[in-house]
Amino acid sequence: MKRILITGAAGFLGSHLCDKFIKEGYHVLGMDNLITGDLKNIEHLFGHEHFEFYHHDVTKFVHVPGDLDYILHFASPASPIDYLKIPIQTLKVGSLGTHNLLGLAKQKEARILIASTSEVYGDPLVHPQTEDYYGNVNTIGPRGVYDEAKRFQESITMAYHTFHGLETRIVRIFNTYGPRMRLNDGRVIPAFIGQALRGEDLTVFGDGAQTRSFCYVDDQVEGIYRLLLSDYEQPVNIGNPHEITILEFAEEIIKLTGTKQKIVFKDLPKDDPMQRQPDITRAKNILGWEPKVNREVGMKITYDYFKTLTEEELRYSEHKDFSKYIQK
Ligand code: UDP
């Protein structure tokens, strides 16, 4: 039986990856420090004979017992609100955390896949974004802590590949959504759905002309799975190229939820990318992958998930207070 370590296991993507690899017959070791992750996302796996959980911060030395065949490094805050609240942790998990996991992969002779991001392209000047675009990132802006950590992560991963011959994979993840997104992480989908469910107006930032392309989580997980098992070491974009403006998206949410509330406009956050759409030619050619779930279907499943949250969870619209986790 193959053994895989998944960091960020209690997070949105990490928990879905745990499910996928359990389903595919792997022994899964999940790891998370639970700053932004939530054990609720994986509690259904507790007691499974092929699932273990380690409460650990990967920016500290990482040790797990036994052999490992694969490592998936998915531990990181992943929303602009989180970067503002925990900027140093965001930098550390992408840099020091990645270094620790590369060292572990080398020691265990495991293949490692690291979760990179469309944010390596910054506010892109090339559209749609191909993997050979170098990006347009403000190093010292609010998103810089995430973007630069992820860019460093790609560099150090490639260095371990070329210098140590480590088997490495790099996925550049574009906006992904689905059940288990954190309601209060500030991202647009939980924000809009939460607002609709609480009977609040929908907050569109700027004039809403900025675009995103949203990928359903099952498609994302399938792309990551195929990339891990492929023999391809260059970065691969995984995302859904179907692009929409944020204003049009807000209107879709109003239709989906039937809310009687209106759209209100708020200031556009600094360095908010104006347009984003993955070029997925590489994923199609190399992995035979393309997304299958359209937004209407994916958003209905996601909305149904958010409807299962309790009144109390829904009312908890304040952003999570991380201060108790932060070492001074
Ligand atoms: N956004 C918005 N209202 C909100 C939250 C986000 O209009 O309440 C916008 C945000 O400015 C951005 C887009 O939605 O243009 C996607 O934001 P998100 O934080 O989900 O992800 P990212 O900007 O990292 O793609």
Side-chain angles (χ1 to χ4, degrees):
M1 186 171 227
K2 299 275 189 205
R3 290 166 58 85
I4 184 165
L5 170 67
I6 302 179
T7 75
F12 165 51
L13 286 179
S15 67
H16 283 283
L17 286 163
C18 289
D19 287 344
K20 170 74 175 172
F21 283 88
I22 288 283
K23 195 173 122 232
E24 297 293 338
Y26 288 65
H27 185 89
V28 175
L29 296 84
M31 185 173 282
D32 206 299
N33 66 359
L34 302 178
I35 292 190
T36 57
D38 191 333
L39 285 180
K40 229 181 106 183
N41 293 332
I42 46 172
E43 67 186 359
H44 58 283
L45 295 175
F46 291 150
H48 192 292
E49 61 174 324
H50 292 300
F51 183 75
E52 300 170 39
F53 180 72
Y54 294 84
H55 184 190
H56 181 69
D57 179 344
V58 297
T59 67
K60 313 271 173 3
F61 183 83
V62 182
H63 168 76
V64 288
D67 294 337
L68 282 181
D69 299 285
Y70 302 107
I71 298 174
L72 298 181
H73 182 27
F74 277 70
S76 177
S79 87
I81 292 279
D82 291 347
Y83 316 149
L84 286 175
K85 296 197 123 194
I86 41 175
I88 297 168
Q89 285 68 25
T90 305
L91 277 159
K92 282 170 73 175
V93 72
S95 54
L96 306 182
T98 303
H99 186 210
N100 286 337
L101 291 159
L102 288 165
L104 182 69
K106 182 165 152 270
Q107 195 236 326
K108 301 273 190 191
E109 297 178 8
R111 179 180 297 176
I112 181 166
L113 180 148
I114 60 115
S116 187
T117 167
S118 55
E119 285 282 328
V120 300
Y121 304 123
D123 191 1
L125 305 176
V126 164
H127 194 77
Q129 293 81 55
T130 52
E131 288 88 347
D132 51 18
Y133 175 48
Y134 294 163
N136 176 39
V137 172
N138 175 4
T139 57
I140 55 169
R143 290 172 182 253
V145 295
Y146 181 67
D147 301 5
E148 289 303 333
K150 291 293 187 183
R151 289 167 66 97
F152 172 86
Q153 181 184 53
E154 290 197 4
S155 304
I156 192 171
T157 299
M158 268 300 164
Y160 266 74
H161 173 62
T162 51
F163 189 72
H164 290 305
L166 196 67
E167 287 191 30
T168 57
R169 306 285 180 271
I170 299 173
V171 59
R172 290 190 182 147
I173 297 169
F174 282 66
N175 293 68
T176 298
Y177 70 96
R180 303 185 195 152
M181 291 188 94
R182 205 170 85 230
L183 183 70
N184 57 5
D185 78 353
R187 305 207 74 119
V188 69
I189 291 180
F192 284 173
I193 294 182
Q195 287 161 347
L197 288 172
R198 289 189 300 271
E200 298 167 5
D201 291 338
L202 270 57
T203 54
V204 167
F205 296 163
D207 60 5
Q210 71 273 33
T211 69
R212 293 294 184 273
S213 311
F214 297 108
C215 181
Y216 187 64
V217 63
D218 290 359
D219 284 333
Q220 183 62 247
V221 163
E222 181 62 27
I224 292 164
Y225 179 73
R226 289 191 192 193
L227 177 60
L228 179 71
L229 299 186
S230 78
D231 58 5
Y232 192 71
E233 267 119 11
Q234 297 298 308
V236 179
N237 289 339
I238 299 287
N240 188 323
H242 194 177
E243 189 178 351
I244 184 172
T245 70
I246 294 300
L247 185 57
E248 285 167 330
F249 186 59
E251 281 154 6
E252 274 190 13
I253 300 266
I254 288 176
K255 247 173 84 185
L256 170 70
T257 60
T259 175
K260 299 280 178 288
Q261 302 298 131
K262 57 183 191 311
I263 291 171
V264 292
F265 294 90
K266 302 262 179 190
D267 289 346
L268 188 67
K270 184 163 168 46
D271 298 335
D272 201 291
M274 265 319 288
Q275 49 178 12
R276 184 182 287 155
Q277 186 201 125
D279 182 314
I280 58 165
T281 311
R282 192 177 276 185
K284 277 185 185 160
N285 291 342
I286 291 177
L287 310 177
W289 174 89
E290 63 183 319
K292 301 231 170 339
V293 182
N294 69 31
R295 204 167 50 239
E296 197 181 338
V297 172
M299 284 303 298
K300 169 90 175 60
I301 300 168
T302 307
Y303 178 47
D304 287 345
Y305 163 78
F306 280 107
K307 279 197 291 192
T308 67
L309 299 184
T310 63
E311 281 292 313
E312 196 193 350
E313 285 167 322
L314 276 181
R315 271 201 315 273
Y316 180 57
S317 59
E318 283 300 304
H319 300 301
K320 188 171 170 181
D321 176 11
F322 300 120
S323 51
K324 67 177 175 188
Y325 300 102
I326 296 174
Q327 289 174 348
K328 293 276 178 340

